[in-house]
Amino acid sequence: MERSMAYDSDLNLKATELRLGLLGSDEPEKPSIAPSVSSNKRASPEISEESRSKGSSCVSSKVESGERDSAPPAKEQVVGWPPIRSYRKNCLRPKKNDQVDGAGMYVKVSVDGAPYLRKIDLKVYKSYSELLETLENMFKLTIGEYSEKEGYNGSDFAPTYEDKDGDWMLVGDVPWDMFISSCKRLRIMKGSAARGLGC
Amino acid sequence: MGPNPKMRKEFPDSTRSSPFPDEVLERVLSLLKSHKDRSAVSLVCKDWYNAESWSRAHVFIGNCYSVSPEIVARRFPRVKSVTLKGKPRFSDFNLVPENWGADVHPWLAVFVAKYPFLEELRLKRMAVSDESLEFLALNFPNFKVLSLLSCDGFSTDGLAAIATHCKNLTQLDIQENGIDDKSGSWLSCFPENFTSLEVLNFANLNTDVNFDALERLVSRCKSLNVLKANKSISLEHLQRLLVCAPQLIELGTGSFMPELTARQYAELENSFIQLKNLNTLSGLWEASAPYLPVLYPACTNLTFLNLSYAFLQSLELESLLCHCPHLQRLWVLDTVGDKGLEAVGSNCPLLEELRVFPADPFDEEVIHGVTEAGFLAVSYGCRRLHYVLYFCRQMTNAAVATIVQNCPDFTHFRLCIMNPGQPDYLTNEPMDEAFGAVVRTCTKLQRLSVSGLLTDLTFEYIGQYAKNLETLSVAFAGSSDRGMQCMLEGCPKLRKLEIRDCPFGNAALLSGLEKYESMRSLWMSACNVTMSGCRLLAREMPRLNVEVMKDDGSDESQADKVYVYRSVVGPRRDAPPCVLNLSGL
């Protein structure tokens, strides 16, 4: 009883609560249940809390005395959840290593002859044409059209990238999704070296 | 029917209950294939029990510890085919230690004496060593069919032994195993005069196989109708294999990565056109849009399409599905999104089974995948749907209610809302009403997996309505012991119950005392059950094996993982130290 009263009064005080968080960064309304990690056997108190406030069924026989978190609990990897066989897990897409804060996938871009490098966020683009257009604008050059047979023939510049294996590849050969998951950095080659590609 | 078996004496002809000789009875009974029917038949009278025992060619053992190989061999002297299942299903998700048990070897040791003419062995979740595979290959001259699903403990060396010695092999089916993949040279071990192979599935293996050996094998095995290759087989290789085997009924491609010239593309297209009999297609690793059209000619008669390793987008899926009018079973990754599932609804009116797997199950940042909208779309278009496995990140009670109204014939409903304990995202309510609708509407429901925020009400519904339910999986759900009690008191056909991370304690566990002997097994992990509760259960029910595994650093009194199963042979003697056997103490 006491706990539900505390819950109510929490809500009432929310409006006048002093916090150091950013504006608009309220915790989500829906109760996030802390998934039990393998060593934590009790179901989270949120479940029994929830059912009590909904008035649906009797109280859990042994309720943990830990307090209800006000912020959503950090989501640790729960053992064996979601229930996917190990074999299938190993076949999944590899995690994108370049992600920082989950907010972007920044790679360095160098252009032969340019004094300094730039950095772009690959996640922002949906396709090769968007990426190449940006590069053309950024470095004030023309890369031209891609063709499977001839690469970027007819242009002084060829966009290349270093993949996960450390090899330098021509941009455009592989599907976009595969490209962004394996691209580690970009290099726009110039001149005769560029024209040599795609033969 | 028939007189009391205890009163009948064993006189050859005079007092027999059946009006025809044993041979006829055995002949008639040998036509019965279903093991459930056979079990029923064997209970009629002693004559029928004997005739059934003598005529049984295939035995299915759902829990290898429920019986011993000696008992099986004593009862069924003429078995040619054995199916054995071992570890609890949650071992697939790393909840069971590796050395837990379910070793196939003790079974082989008995079979070599009692079933020397054994032809078929199908194993699921068993521990299989290379030595066992070699023993099998060397000691059973008639051996024909080996199927290993979700097993572990062996390497490609074991497969080499099978290939080398099994002269009559017709099926080698290696699926989703924890295999030590040392090298692909096992395939070269099939002798040059070996031609009997009909089924070859090595899709699971990661190493390169000797392609020339594979090509020769496929060419000379004229009866080959199932070929599922692994990732090491390129498109170019695939084309050469298809030319050798246009009679294939089931095909698992290798890597579907683009690397073909225009001419090679045309050749590949042509070889797919030749596959007139194909009804199952899988593999398609790294499949990409420009190359999918090559498959279209082969899709006309497809009934099963497994795209669960192909990262396809919605448009690619739609284009492919247009060519598969007869599709009955479809497995996809959630990269196809709700739009892709709309395409399923529009193009696959005969669909009976749908499985949607998550491409990024552990990535919290992911915002794509499928939602309730996709599932709804499928239910509107595919009214014959009866099997679903659906991984998603959001669901609503209303959507599920509509889905089961559209498709009331569900026999298997496995819904996994991936965030544990997540409520209906629109109303913030628990998902109780969703599963209530499922069990009320789908009267034929045999298998159910629940997820999301669930109170005891879900289990009240299940107990009340799920009268045909046999298998139930519960995780992060329920409010009290009452939840589990409802399940145990209510579902008359319940055979397998697996529970994890729920607030069910001793009272709940003990409420099933009378029930567990009619079930295959119960699994409970990370619940509130204690050692004393388990000991009480073991004491009261001597014909149950009650096994407990403790987690490191947990409270002494806690029973972290509990596995309860009926057995006619008492506690097993091969349990590792981490498994505590409470029965017979």
Side-chain angles (χ1 to χ4, degrees), chain A residues 30 33 36 38 41-42 47 57 60 77-89 92-93 95 177, chain B residues 92-93 176 204 308-309 311 313 358-362 391 418 421 428 478-479 500-501 526 528 551 558 560:
Chain A
K30 53 180 165 193
I33 313 300
S36 320
S38 49
K41 290 153 293 300
R42 303 284 191 275
I47 296 176
S57 55
S60 165
Q77 189 106 101
V78 180
V79 176
W81 190 266
I84 295 171
R85 280 191 185 150
S86 319
Y87 171 69
R88 183 170 285 283
K89 269 195 281 196
L92 293 173
R93 247 203 287 255
K95 278 248 183 219
D177 278 337
Chain B
D92 284 349
F93 318 127
E176 301 197 17
N204 191 191
S308 62
Y309 297 106
F311 292 90
Q313 307 295 312
D360 294 294
F362 307 111
F391 284 86
M418 287 191 273
N428 232 23
S479 336
R500 62 165 292 179
D501 294 274
N528 291 348
D551 292 334
Q558 281 311 110
D560 304 305

Side-chain angles (χ1 to χ4, degrees), chain B residues 512-520 541-544 566:
Chain B
L513 264 188
E514 307 285 308
K515 183 108 173 171
Y516 301 132
E517 272 188 19
S518 68
M519 289 169 56
R520 183 185 295 175
M541 305 298 297
R543 284 188 301 197
L544 292 179
R566 64 183 176 189

